[in-house]
Amino acid sequence: MHDSTLSRTTDVAEVFPNRTHADASTFTWAELQQLNAGGWFLSRDPFGTVSSLSEADWSQAQNQSVPSLAQFLELAACSDKLVLFDLHRPPYGHPYYQSYINTTLQVVQAHINSSQVLWLPSEDRELVQAVDPELQQTSGVKASIQDLRDGHITRLNLHYSTMSQQQFSKYQSVNISTNLYVVSQPWLYTLAWCAGAQSVTTNSVHILSNINAPLFLMISGSLLFPNEEVVV
């Protein structure tokens, strides 16, 4: 659940109209399972792809429920994928207010190889590293190489506006890779690629996954990055 509330990607306003804007972590698992988490995608069509769905795919999308972290990790484990997720402390008074990090670590260790997890939360990072050194410690902020090494950081997760070929090369020289977010346009993907980012977070995987080389257009000796038509 990327958002702090359930209103954008579920029908919580219909099922629990008095709790539409309540923090997602205040709902029990039984309550969460009553929500439809797929209908919004079909009605809003955020990527313009709904018309291309088969009848079976449309039906599957319409009947999605909110997945648990365990289900998400198991899917990544069976498909041999890396995972990156944010983790936020629940509101004061929540039963896991103090133990949410340890509880999450227990779920991770039970459902996926820890080396597949890019651990982004910065809170209690030293404790997390001691408990599970196989996690790929990932920082959301730039720092000196020494500070990153001291924190056992192996990856950076940065906004694309921080793009710098010189910095990426410096980090890569000490085996620290960089992921940029949110990169959804082909021209921006090309810039990230050429700057040396090792990966990107995107809302347009259906588009970027079909690009096998940077896109560029040469005009009068200048290198331009257009939004639409390109020459490869």
Side-chain angles (χ1 to χ4, degrees):
M1 183 62 59
H2 181 275
D3 302 350
S4 61
T5 71
L6 302 160
S7 59
R8 183 174 66 92
T9 57
T10 76
D11 59 349
V12 66
E14 300 173 18
V15 182
F16 301 103
N18 296 326
R19 301 170 66 190
T20 300
H21 301 294
D23 194 286
S25 64
T26 64
F27 289 77
T28 67
W29 180 241
E31 289 172 336
L32 290 174
Q33 289 304 283
Q34 298 178 48
L35 302 176
N36 182 302
W40 74 276
F41 181 85
L42 298 175
S43 62
R44 299 179 192 175
D45 195 11
F47 309 124
T49 55
V50 169
S51 62
S52 66
L53 296 178
S54 66
E55 184 176 343
D57 288 341
W58 196 96
S59 178
Q60 184 179 23
Q62 173 64 36
N63 293 290
Q64 289 297 306
S65 59
V66 176
S68 67
L69 177 60
Q71 291 169 334
F72 166 68
L73 294 173
E74 288 172 356
L75 177 63
C78 71
S79 56
D80 195 28
K81 300 295 185 182
L82 298 176
V83 299
L84 171 69
F85 58 89
D86 290 322
L87 183 62
H88 303 285
R89 183 187 291 273
Y92 182 77
H94 190 281
Y96 295 113
Y97 178 76
Q98 295 291 350
S99 62
Y100 77 107
I101 290 181
N102 283 331
T103 301
T104 303
L105 280 175
Q106 292 171 8
V107 175
V108 167
Q109 292 171 327
H111 296 281
I112 194 172
N113 188 319
S114 296
S115 63
Q116 291 176 246
V117 176
L118 279 58
W119 187 265
L120 184 59
S122 58
E123 188 171 354
D124 291 335
R125 193 182 292 278
E126 290 186 8
L127 172 63
V128 172
Q129 172 67 17
V131 171
D132 194 341
E134 293 300 314
L135 293 167
Q136 295 194 45
Q137 294 295 333
T138 304
S139 175
V141 295
K142 291 187 291 186
S144 68
I145 289 178
Q146 188 59 53
D147 286 344
L148 294 175
R149 282 177 163 173
D150 290 344
H152 305 282
I153 302 299
T154 60
R155 291 178 181 262
L156 294 172
N157 184 56
L158 305 173
H159 189 265
Y160 69 81
S161 61
T162 65
M163 202 180 305
S164 166
Q165 186 173 10
Q166 183 178 6
Q167 288 184 334
F168 291 169
S169 298
K170 177 183 69 175
Y171 290 132
Q172 191 173 12
S173 68
V174 291
N175 297 319
I176 297 175
S177 59
T178 304
N179 179 75
L180 296 180
Y181 66 89
V182 173
V183 176
S184 296
Q185 298 80 19
W187 68 268
L188 188 55
Y189 184 46
T190 287
L191 285 178
W193 192 328
C194 293
Q198 282 73 45
S199 61
V200 301
T201 297
T202 183
N203 291 324
S204 300
V205 66
H206 58 295
I207 296 175
L208 302 191
S209 61
N210 294 320
I211 299 177
N212 299 314
L215 308 177
F216 55 92
L217 179 65
M218 299 295 294
I219 298 179
S220 301
S222 299
L223 182 61
L224 303 179
F225 296 88
N227 289 322
E228 297 179 0
E229 295 185 356
V230 295
V231 175
V232 180

